[in-house]
């Protein structure tokens, strides 16, 4: 397709549901034709290294052979089945997922998307506790397809959705680089987490009834790759327990190996009451899960808990889920993510010593963020510079994204697939380093500060 044909289709046939964020200039972006591993190709034959892992869902690489084999098998046997019957792939996925969950988590329920799973997790917490109020992070993202998930995605600014669900409130994220409390443990590494205590108290004062749950991502990905400081999650878990709130970890963007552990919460020494799983759980097909302990699952069921979708337990998506676990285990991808972590941190640290525009580096495994600022002293977000970096990287064959929240869109998010080779990682980092230096010298970041 040429540019004119693409523009005509976009203008005439597509609903511009997110014109500012996604649709602007869409016709000038590559039209993807095929992909394999970390490599993506457009209709013009250009090759790109996908340091975005698609929509965060290709962390096992594009079209992994084991995934392709599983999907082909089900296309020839059965791809869809009524949920009122069990099927072999569904049963196998329940067992395989249960085997890799952190005890006492062992029970699972399958849905289609990450939003589905979050909505179902919140409903489960409400059924179990008898409460209604749900608390999340002000920079968190938990989905956009349901009223409750849009309302808990505070990092997106709820005003874009108009109305917000009742009994949903936010507290400050542990954004150590920009914590407003100079004496906070986020900044000093010791003492009290003042940002947590202060904002939690404020949120609790807005509760309309009995609280039900707290939800957070182990790393706040879309909000700007916010990694909680040591001890933060454990302290927060204890605080939630005082109020009888179940602790939900949204592992959509961190689970199944991305952080160098099988689950993001394993870095924190905390086992959540409920976790949600999606993104690369289906290795390329949409399948998600809500996971919890036998005790909580039984209590929820006794109180009438119900959650499902028409395609929630399809054999073909469940087979893809089984394939994803097989790939992670057989290819040693948890360990591979930890090895990539070391490469990314080494290269990014070296860049930060040369490029003043880099204000902060943070992340785990294959999930990293590079925060760009116009001045390290003022820490003014370099939004325009980040936008220029994303565009220049694309032009030079590297796919990255800019992320952030609340007026800041200045964090370059790096998510190379866990199957990436050392050479591919270094190639991508070479492009990023070259672009960062070019943008820093171009005056774009000074324009952002003007």
């Amino acid at each position: 397709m040429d540019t004119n044909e693409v523009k005509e289709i976009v203008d005439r046939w597509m609903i511009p549901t997110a014109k500012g964020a996604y649709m602007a200039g869409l016709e000038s972006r590559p039209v993807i034709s095929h992909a394999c591993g970390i490599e993506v190709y457009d209709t013009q034959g250009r090759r790109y290294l996908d340091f975005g892992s698609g929509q965060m869902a290709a962390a096992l690489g594009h079209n992994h052979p084991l995934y392709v084999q599983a999907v082909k098998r089900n296309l020839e046997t059965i791809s869809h089945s009524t949920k009122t019957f069990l099927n072999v792939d569904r049963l196998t996925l329940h067992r395989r997922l249960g085997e890799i969950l952190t005890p006492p988590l062992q029970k699972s329920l399958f849905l289609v998307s990450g939003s589905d799973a979050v909505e179902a997790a919140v409903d489960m917490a409400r059924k179990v506790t008898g409460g209604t109020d749900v608390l999340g992070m002000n920079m968190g993202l938990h989905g956009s397809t349901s009223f409750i998930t849009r309302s808990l995605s505070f990092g997106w600014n709820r005003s874009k959705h108009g109305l917000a669900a009742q009994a949903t409130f936010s507290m400050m994220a542990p954004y150590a680089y920009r914590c407003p409390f100079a004496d906070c443990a986020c900044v000093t590494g010791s003492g009290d987490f003042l940002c947590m205590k202060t904002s939690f108290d404020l949120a609790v004062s807005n509760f309309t009834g009995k609280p039900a749950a707290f939800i957070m991502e182990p790393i706040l990905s879309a909000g700007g790759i916010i990694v909680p400081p040591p001890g933060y999650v454990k302290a927060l878990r204890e605080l939630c327990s005082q109020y009888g709130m179940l602790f939900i970890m949204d592992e959509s963007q961190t689970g199944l190996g991305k952080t160098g552990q099988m689950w993001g919460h394993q870095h924190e020494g905390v086992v959540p009451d409920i976790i949600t799983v999606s993104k690369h759980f289906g290795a390329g097909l949409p399948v998600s899960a809500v996971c919890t302990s036998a005790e909580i699952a039984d209590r929820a069921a006794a109180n009438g808990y119900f959650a499902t979708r028409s395609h929630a337990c399809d054999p073909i998506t469940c087979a893809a889920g089984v394939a994803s676990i097989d790939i992670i285990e057989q290819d040693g991808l948890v360990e591979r993510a930890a090895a990539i972590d070391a490469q990314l941190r080494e290269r990014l640290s070296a860049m930060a010593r040369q490029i003043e525009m880099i204000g902060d580096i943070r992340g785990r495994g294959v999930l990293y963020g590079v925060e760009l600022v116009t001045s390290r002293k003022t820490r003014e977000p370099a939004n325009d510079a980040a936008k220029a970096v994303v565009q220049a990287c694309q032009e030079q064959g590297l796919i990255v994204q800019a992320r952030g929240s609340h007026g800041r869109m200045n964090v370059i998010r790096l998510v190379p697939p866990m199957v990436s080779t050392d050479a591919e990682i270094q190639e991508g980092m070479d492009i990023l380093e070259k672009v960062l230096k070019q943008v820093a010298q171009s005056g774009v970041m000074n324009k952002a500060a003007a």
Side-chain angles (χ1 to χ4, degrees):
M1 293 184 177
D2 61 29
T3 302
N4 290 333
E5 184 180 3
V6 172
K7 185 176 185 346
E8 179 184 3
I9 292 173
V10 170
D11 290 345
R12 186 173 181 182
W13 304 111
M14 292 179 66
I15 296 176
T17 54
K19 195 163 188 174
Y22 297 107
M23 299 292 287
L26 189 63
E27 66 276 0
S28 66
R29 299 178 199 171
V31 177
I32 303 303
S33 63
H34 62 284
C36 181
I38 189 177
E39 297 179 325
V40 171
Y41 294 84
D42 66 17
T43 52
Q44 306 303 311
R46 288 200 61 192
R47 168 184 174 268
Y48 303 85
L49 293 176
D50 188 0
F51 267 49
S53 284
Q55 196 64 37
M56 294 286 287
L60 307 182
H62 294 277
N63 294 358
H64 192 287
L66 287 181
Y67 158 73
V68 173
Q69 181 181 2
V71 171
K72 282 184 175 179
R73 183 190 71 242
N74 279 76
L75 286 173
E76 295 171 350
T77 54
I78 180 172
S79 58
H80 170 72
S81 174
T82 172
K83 303 182 301 298
T84 58
F85 294 166
L86 294 172
N87 63 73
V88 172
D89 295 291
R90 175 184 178 184
L91 290 170
T92 303
L93 184 55
H94 279 298
R95 175 174 58 82
R96 296 286 281 114
L97 180 57
E99 290 171 345
I100 64 172
L101 289 171
T102 309
L105 305 177
Q106 67 183 77
K107 297 270 191 171
S108 57
L109 179 151
F110 302 136
L111 293 160
V112 178
S113 71
S115 294
D116 289 342
V118 168
E119 181 181 11
V122 170
D123 286 347
M124 178 181 286
R126 286 173 168 169
K127 285 290 186 183
V128 170
T129 63
T132 55
D133 291 291
V134 182
L135 184 59
M137 291 290 183
N138 73 324
M139 298 174 70
L141 171 64
H142 301 289
S144 62
T145 61
S146 76
F147 196 28
I148 186 68
T149 59
R150 292 199 304 267
S151 299
L152 289 170
S153 292
F154 297 99
W156 267 352
N157 189 343
R158 299 195 300 180
S159 64
K160 71 163 57 177
H161 301 298
L163 296 176
Q166 293 181 323
T168 56
F169 308 95
S170 68
M171 62 174 282
M172 293 177 62
Y175 195 176
Y177 186 64
R178 297 184 183 277
C179 183
F181 297 90
D183 296 330
C184 183
C186 277
V187 179
T188 64
S190 62
D192 294 328
F193 291 104
L194 300 178
C195 60
M196 176 202 302
K197 290 188 174 183
T198 304
S199 59
F200 190 95
D201 287 346
L202 181 59
V204 167
S205 71
N206 284 291
F207 285 171
T208 56
K210 181 181 177 181
F214 182 91
I215 184 168
M216 70 175 293
E217 305 159 83
I219 297 175
L220 282 67
S221 176
I225 321 299
I226 308 302
V227 182
Y232 180 93
V233 176
K234 187 172 289 186
L236 179 58
R237 173 67 192 260
E238 293 172 356
L239 195 56
C240 291
S241 296
Q242 294 175 23
Y243 286 85
M245 304 167 72
L246 294 190
F247 199 77
I248 303 171
M249 277 284 198
D250 182 355
E251 291 267 12
S252 296
Q253 301 199 36
T254 55
L256 296 171
K258 266 201 186 100
T259 65
Q261 294 274 8
M262 183 62 77
W263 306 105
H265 65 260
Q266 291 177 313
H267 294 276
E268 311 298 341
V270 168
V271 181
D273 296 301
I274 304 170
I275 71 169
T276 62
V277 190
S278 60
K279 294 298 183 184
H280 67 278
F281 183 35
L285 284 178
V287 59
S288 63
V290 179
C291 309
T292 191
S293 65
E295 178 189 359
I296 290 177
D298 290 344
R299 286 166 58 190
N303 291 330
Y305 177 68
F306 176 80
T308 189
R309 294 290 187 271
S310 296
H311 293 279
C313 303
D314 279 355
I316 196 167
T317 55
C318 289
V322 173
S324 74
I325 296 173
D326 289 343
I327 292 166
I328 291 165
E329 292 186 335
Q330 293 178 28
D331 290 3
L333 294 188
V334 176
E335 296 79 10
R336 180 59 189 154
I340 292 175
D341 181 320
Q343 294 181 62
L344 293 178
R345 185 169 292 276
E346 180 182 5
R347 287 296 304 271
L348 292 173
S349 297
M351 291 181 207
R353 290 191 291 269
Q354 304 175 51
I355 305 170
E356 286 290 319
M357 184 172 65
I358 298 177
D360 195 28
I361 297 165
R362 48 188 182 259
R364 284 184 177 134
V366 297
L367 178 56
Y368 262 80
V370 183
E371 179 155 0
L372 306 184
V373 294
T374 61
S375 165
R376 288 185 177 178
K377 182 178 180 179
T378 66
R379 301 186 179 182
E380 181 72 20
N383 291 346
D384 287 349
K387 184 177 179 180
V389 167
V390 171
Q391 180 61 35
C393 281
Q394 174 191 306
E395 292 169 357
Q396 297 192 37
L398 179 68
I399 299 173
V400 296
Q401 296 173 324
R403 288 293 179 262
S405 62
H406 307 297
R408 293 183 295 265
M409 195 60 68
N410 64 319
V411 179
I412 304 301
R413 184 172 69 180
L414 309 175
V415 201
M418 293 183 279
V419 296
S420 304
T421 66
D422 289 353
E424 289 167 338
I425 293 295
Q426 295 305 325
E427 181 184 357
M429 298 306 285
D430 287 344
I431 295 172
L432 178 64
E433 180 175 358
K434 177 182 177 182
V435 167
L436 285 170
K437 288 179 177 178
Q438 289 175 341
V439 171
Q441 295 170 1
S442 70
V444 172
M445 67 174 181
N446 295 326
K447 173 187 173 184

